[in-house]
Amino acid sequence: MLRLNKIWFAVLVVASFGTVSLLHNVDASAHVYQNPKQYYQISDKQIEPVGKVGYTVKVGYEGIKTLKIMRRLGINMGPIGTGHYEYNYATKLAVENFQRKHNLKVTGNVDVKTWVKLGFKKSDFYDIDKYVAPLGAKITQGNKAHIEAAIKEAYKYLGNPYIYGASSSPKYGNDCSGLVVQALYAGGINPAPVSAIQHAHPGNEWNSRRLWASKKFKFVPFSQRKRGDLIFYYQPGTKTIWHVALYLGNDKMIESWPPRVQISSIYARSTHTGYVARPWVAK
């Protein structure tokens, strides 16, 4: 019956307006949700962020792989959740000594061969890097569905430890922008050049600043905040952006802040910018 209705609809259009290409005979009930062109576009397929899966870990890297390497080698920078695990020169020296002992090429960097020799699974060398939150809403669903998909993804991390430079699957912890990036993916937004794969690389330590600097969000006054908005905070004194969280409504946000991913008051973190970024703009 639905097929016949579509055919009769096309016939009626031709009868009323003259010749019309049947290629334009689309189901009038179908609706595609999309942001205005100046903002990030909503993806209708699984997002694949920029970067090489299975990166070699070197000096300056952070993230989950770095944390695992340092702790396996006995380099303790403090409790997971508060300690700042960055691949430093002490780690490089320890890796070089390990490589000599195990007849590996001595580079001080951890490639997949050294990773496996350290006792880790080969699959983890790639899987830790490549996780991208699955789309939680269809392109035919609206604003609310995409916002709720993002928040649902963020909640999967609740209670996980804060880890500098981490943005991976819910089995691990992450940092503030790492959490937000995965939430955005679930809501159909790819905030490139910010990427989960590159999140642990040097230069990506402050992806909250790169998100803040993006011109592809709609920025609105803090007083107009809505569920699903991104709230940014700056460091007292320097006034540089150093934190981002996902707004839940009722003055609550979900954030990754030492020592864990948690629900907090929007007034709990230093000074907010006075503006919020709105990823999902269209109604």
Side-chain angles (χ1 to χ4, degrees):
M1 181 63 71
L2 179 61
R3 180 182 178 88
L4 289 174
N5 285 342
K6 288 183 180 180
I7 294 172
W8 277 111
F9 176 75
V11 170
L12 287 172
V13 169
V14 171
S16 300
F17 298 97
T19 58
V20 176
S21 171
L22 290 180
L23 292 176
H24 292 88
N25 177 27
V26 295
D27 187 353
S29 66
H31 174 71
V32 174
Y33 169 70
Q34 192 55 268
N35 279 336
K37 291 183 179 180
Q38 66 268 37
Y39 303 121
Y40 288 112
Q41 297 296 283
I42 309 298
S43 179
D44 62 347
K45 59 184 179 180
Q46 181 63 35
I47 292 170
E48 297 181 4
V50 177
K52 178 184 177 182
V53 172
Y55 63 84
T56 296
V57 189
K58 306 175 183 179
V59 170
Y61 280 67
E62 296 176 328
I64 298 158
K65 286 160 71 171
T66 292
L67 183 149
K68 285 180 170 291
I69 292 164
M70 293 178 72
R71 292 183 71 87
R72 179 60 56 90
L73 292 171
I75 302 172
N76 191 336
M77 304 302 291
I80 298 174
T82 56
H84 188 175
Y85 285 83
E86 180 180 341
Y87 200 102
N88 52 28
Y89 283 98
T91 304
K92 185 176 188 294
L93 179 61
V95 169
E96 289 173 350
N97 291 335
F98 179 87
Q99 289 170 331
R100 289 189 188 94
K101 183 178 178 180
H102 291 87
N103 298 315
L104 297 166
K105 184 178 181 180
V106 179
T107 62
N109 305 325
V110 177
D111 59 6
V112 66
K113 289 183 178 180
T114 301
W115 174 265
V116 171
K117 188 62 72 172
L118 281 165
F120 300 121
K121 293 181 180 179
K122 183 177 181 179
S123 59
D124 284 348
F125 189 79
Y126 302 98
D127 291 345
I128 289 171
D129 300 349
K130 72 181 182 182
Y131 179 79
V132 176
L135 293 177
K138 297 179 180 179
I139 196 71
T140 53
Q141 294 177 285
N143 176 287
K144 183 177 180 181
H146 287 79
I147 291 170
E148 295 308 316
I151 291 173
K152 182 179 179 180
E153 180 69 17
Y155 264 87
K156 293 178 183 178
Y157 296 85
L158 199 61
N160 287 5
Y162 178 94
I163 300 175
Y164 288 90
S167 182
S168 188
S169 75
K171 68 187 289 186
Y172 302 106
N174 47 24
D175 64 14
C176 66
S177 51
L179 175 69
V180 165
V181 165
Q182 292 294 348
L184 289 172
Y185 289 155
I189 288 179
N190 185 356
V194 175
S195 166
I197 287 178
Q198 296 176 331
H199 199 69
H201 297 206
N204 292 267
E205 298 90 341
W206 297 104
N207 273 334
S208 55
R209 295 176 190 169
R210 299 176 74 186
L211 291 171
W212 168 254
S214 175
K215 299 184 184 302
K216 292 187 177 182
F217 292 121
K218 181 178 181 179
F219 284 86
V220 299
F222 183 76
S223 61
Q224 296 179 18
R225 61 192 178 275
K226 294 181 180 180
R227 184 172 171 87
D229 287 345
L230 307 184
I231 302 181
F232 293 85
Y233 297 83
Y234 62 75
Q235 188 176 31
T238 65
K239 293 190 176 182
T240 54
I241 300 297
W242 71 338
H243 186 51
V244 62
L246 183 63
Y247 186 54
L248 301 175
N250 298 317
D251 289 348
K252 297 293 183 182
M253 62 185 178
I254 184 167
E255 61 170 352
S256 186
W257 181 273
R260 66 183 65 87
V261 179
Q262 57 196 281
I263 307 297
S264 307
S265 164
I266 57 174
Y267 301 105
R269 306 294 165 219
S270 61
T271 307
H272 62 75
T273 60
Y275 290 87
V276 298
R278 184 156 296 158
W280 299 277
V281 179
K283 293 182 179 179

